[in-house]
Amino acid sequence: MSQPPYRLGDRSPVVAEVRGKLTRLGLLPPLRDPGDPDATLFDAEVDRAVRQFQQERAITVDGVIGPATYRALEEARFRFAARRGGRAGPS
């Protein structure tokens, strides 16, 4: 992740990507409409899921998607795919 950290209230394609990863990990429900512009919004639901993910992984729980959280999400995605016997694929 080469961009600044993301937090509650931010809007970015990176937030949509992270939302998808958190959904695949079971920390967020799927969006009803993946094309919804709210998919890019770092809302309270994403904040709660990020904090839960950070707590489960012993990362500083601050609700911010910084380099450490982003890297842990990437690693979790690959471990999740390995458990399912498949490839992680694009996010």
Side-chain angles (χ1 to χ4, degrees), residues 12-76:
S12 167
V14 173
V15 173
E17 174 190 343
V18 168
R19 182 185 286 272
K21 291 175 184 181
L22 292 167
T23 298
R24 284 187 291 282
L25 292 169
L27 298 172
L28 277 176
L31 287 172
R32 290 188 187 120
D33 177 10
D36 187 341
D38 284 342
T40 64
L41 176 63
F42 195 132
D43 59 12
E45 189 175 41
V46 173
D47 182 68
R48 279 190 299 274
V50 167
R51 289 173 185 276
Q52 180 180 346
F53 177 81
Q54 290 170 328
Q55 184 173 10
E56 290 173 358
R57 305 283 184 310
I59 300 169
T60 300
V61 179
D62 57 9
V64 174
I65 304 166
T69 299
Y70 190 83
R71 198 169 32 254
L73 279 165
E74 280 293 295
E75 291 168 3

